[in-house]
Amino acid sequence: MEYHESTRQQDMTEPLIRQDEKGSIISEEDDDLKPENPSQKGSPGVEWLSTAIAVWGSFQFGCCLNLQVHYTSPTQTAIRKDLNLSLAEYSVFASVLAIGAMIGGLTSGHISDLIGRKGTMRVAAAFCIVGWLAIGFTEGVLLLDLGRMCTGYGIGIFSYVVPVFIAEIAPKDLRGGFTSLNELMIQVGGSITYLLGTVLTWRMLALVGLIPSLMLILGMFFVPESPRWLEYTEKLQQMPQIRILDLFQKRYLHSVIIGVGLMLFKQFGGMSAIGSYASATLELAGFSSGKFGTIVIGLCQIPVTTIAVALMDRCGRRPLLLVSSVGTFLGTFLIGLAFYLKDHELVLKLIPMMVLAGVLIYLWSLASGIGSASWVIMSEIFPLNVKGAAGSLAIWANWFGSWAVSYTFNYLISWSSSGTFFLYSAVSAAAILFVAKLVPETRRRTLEEIQAHMLFSNSHS
């Protein structure tokens, strides 16, 4: 179906955005992309196939994140023994994934604008393949860290380009659900990898990680390029290059604040800490082993995320964000309260169940709204001429927050277990206000309508 790209590009003669005499961006809606026009509507089968193949990148994302947990906890002794690693060397290996992802996120937008969404997904998959092979066959620390960095770089790119590609090919009435499949496949990839990690060695886990990227590279031969990128690419070449500092102009600032803010609130609300250290948190609460609890949590997140996919285009993004932010607030507050009451004998037996309930409420809320809706809105709100730079900044903020929260979690827990989760709950409370005041509803609006609205609100704010 590669021929579809050239045919589509020849058919497109009117750009979706143009510049007025002052150089301001004016958005227009392309009739070829309007789902209400039955004579020109794209094939639903192609949209479904394109989405199904693209989310292999999301599956890879989930695999890498869950292997982050496996490689930094259950298999630590085996890796250090097999490769004769010191604790300092292992600590570098454990943290370098997030560093690679930050670099990948920062460059993802520019690469995607330059070579297209399909080419960018191929690049990300290639980095992941090289990384997994390096980890799986390494005999020393250098190749181990290089492989870890490559997989991190690959998923940093995937975290931007997959939701953007899906949002650009999906009809407006299904765009939320389609884009939410990104989060669902992250959860599926993570859960499957976690289960496999209980029976496979760390080298075999690395080789299993090759499968999603190989599937994506193969599948890319059967799907078309994003029609919006094809239409915009010639026009964008005539426009001045947008730099990171240009994003802080008044007309773009509202969009940037929303995109970056959603990523930071999601992470600093405890996402990476609770996700990565759920087992340790349950053990700290009094469970003899947190392994069973984290398996249950992982399996439960899949149906909850599936519900979010179904509700995204029915209820809208804002309601899901607001409800799930309330849920993450309640979950972290309950955990903090449980640890605060830990020294009180009257409720001592209730502490483990309070913490488990808090973790479940938090992760279910995350899966049902914040995780899905944040990616959807991030892929919708940026005008295409700044989407690369703005999207890269938002993804970098996401991975920086992930690294910062994961890195500080053990220090915070040693300071105060209750205070740590009360701090996360305060961030979630602030997120509720942020969504209520700043985040627009994007349901049932074309990307062109959303971006025109954002440009208008920026210039009149």
Side-chain angles (χ1 to χ4, degrees):
M1 293 185 66
E2 295 284 353
Y3 72 91
H4 181 81
E5 299 177 25
S6 59
T7 304
R8 183 71 174 171
Q9 194 165 16
Q10 291 172 1
D11 290 341
M12 293 180 174
T13 58
E14 293 296 326
L16 297 177
I17 58 174
R18 57 185 175 87
Q19 288 180 291
D20 62 16
E21 295 178 354
K22 297 180 180 180
S24 298
I25 303 299
I26 302 174
S27 178
E28 297 177 347
E29 187 170 301
D30 181 7
D31 289 339
D32 285 345
L33 299 177
K34 290 171 67 176
E36 294 85 359
N37 188 340
S39 65
Q40 296 181 4
K41 181 165 62 174
S43 167
V46 172
E47 293 161 354
W48 278 103
L49 177 64
S50 299
T51 301
I53 291 173
V55 293
W56 277 107
S58 308
F59 190 94
Q60 179 72 92
F61 188 167
C63 289
C64 289
L65 285 182
N66 217 289
L67 286 176
Q68 167 84 351
V69 179
H70 274 290
Y71 283 165
T72 54
S73 182
T75 58
Q76 176 176 342
T77 302
I79 296 176
R80 289 187 62 188
K81 182 178 180 181
D82 289 351
L83 301 179
N84 194 28
L85 302 182
S86 67
L87 181 60
E89 289 173 329
Y90 188 85
S91 298
V92 171
F93 166 70
S95 62
V96 77
L97 179 86
I99 296 173
M102 280 190 276
I103 299 172
L106 203 57
T107 60
S108 58
H110 178 70
I111 297 173
S112 185
D113 284 346
L114 185 65
I115 65 174
R117 314 318 190 201
K118 285 179 59 178
T120 304
M121 285 188 277
R122 287 176 174 136
V123 168
F127 270 95
C128 287
I129 289 171
V130 170
W132 290 129
L133 289 174
I135 293 172
F137 293 101
T138 186
E139 296 296 335
V141 66
L142 181 62
L143 198 58
L144 187 73
D145 290 345
L146 179 62
R148 187 75 152 174
M149 178 73 79
C150 285
T151 56
Y153 184 81
I155 66 170
I157 295 177
F158 274 136
S159 59
Y160 168 79
V161 72
V162 172
V164 166
F165 174 74
I166 296 172
E168 289 180 351
I169 65 171
K172 68 178 183 181
D173 291 336
L174 298 174
R175 189 176 60 244
F178 272 42
T179 310
S180 297
L181 290 173
N182 171 63
E183 179 70 18
L184 176 61
M185 289 302 289
I186 291 173
Q187 300 295 341
V188 171
S191 297
I192 290 176
T193 306
Y194 193 96
L195 294 173
L196 290 175
T198 60
V199 296
L200 298 179
T201 66
W202 66 272
R203 290 187 188 273
M204 286 301 298
L205 276 176
L207 297 181
V208 168
L210 293 169
I211 297 174
S213 290
L214 292 172
M215 293 294 292
L216 185 139
I217 288 177
L218 178 63
M220 281 292 110
F221 289 104
F222 301 97
V223 300
E225 179 57 272
S226 160
R228 284 184 169 87
W229 179 81
L230 288 173
E231 179 150 328
Y232 274 108
T233 182
E234 183 176 349
K235 188 68 177 178
L236 288 177
Q237 290 173 0
Q238 302 171 14
M239 298 178 182
Q241 287 288 328
I242 296 294
R243 299 169 299 177
I244 294 294
L245 291 178
D246 295 329
L247 299 176
F248 297 95
Q249 298 176 24
K250 185 178 181 180
R251 58 181 172 177
Y252 304 130
L253 191 57
H254 187 198
S255 303
V256 172
I257 289 173
I258 292 172
V260 173
L262 287 174
M263 296 296 117
L264 289 178
F265 276 116
K266 178 177 66 172
Q267 291 295 348
F268 284 100
M271 175 180 174
S272 293
I274 298 175
S276 298
Y277 295 99
S279 178
T281 301
L282 293 175
E283 290 176 8
L284 184 64
F287 284 92
S288 58
S289 172
K291 188 174 181 179
F292 175 75
T294 51
I295 291 176
V296 171
I297 291 167
L299 293 176
C300 288
Q301 281 184 275
I302 295 176
V304 173
T305 309
T306 304
I307 294 173
V309 172
L311 294 178
M312 193 64 64
D313 288 309
R314 296 184 180 183
C315 300
R317 289 53 152 162
R318 267 172 55 91
L320 284 177
L321 278 173
L322 288 170
V323 171
S324 60
S325 295
V326 172
T328 56
F329 166 78
L330 292 175
T332 48
F333 185 84
L334 183 60
I335 298 171
L337 181 62
F339 283 125
Y340 180 76
L341 297 174
K342 195 172 182 180
D343 295 331
H344 294 260
E345 293 184 4
L346 292 178
V347 295
L348 189 60
K349 293 182 179 180
L350 297 178
I351 300 303
M353 298 312 299
M354 288 176 65
V355 172
L356 178 59
V359 170
L360 287 172
I361 291 171
Y362 177 88
L363 291 176
W364 288 349
S365 299
L366 188 71
S368 66
I370 294 178
S372 299
S374 295
W375 292 118
V376 173
I377 292 176
M378 188 277 295
S379 67
E380 294 174 327
I381 60 172
F382 298 127
L384 203 74
N385 65 310
V386 301
K387 181 174 283 188
S392 292
L393 181 62
I395 296 301
W396 178 87
N398 176 74
W399 285 106
F400 170 78
S402 175
W403 171 81
V405 171
S406 297
Y407 181 79
T408 59
F409 179 77
N410 286 324
Y411 294 102
L412 289 172
I413 283 291
S414 63
W415 160 67
S416 171
S417 55
S418 60
T420 300
F421 291 97
F422 284 144
L423 182 62
Y424 295 153
S425 68
V427 174
S428 292
I432 298 171
L433 298 177
F434 178 83
V435 173
K437 289 289 186 180
L438 294 178
V439 178
E441 180 55 70
T442 59
R443 182 174 64 119
R444 293 181 180 173
R445 303 169 77 179
T446 67
L447 293 180
E448 292 70 47
E449 290 170 343
I450 296 166
Q451 292 154 15
H453 169 76
M454 295 305 300
L455 288 171
F456 179 83
S457 64
N458 286 335
S459 61
H460 289 79
S461 60

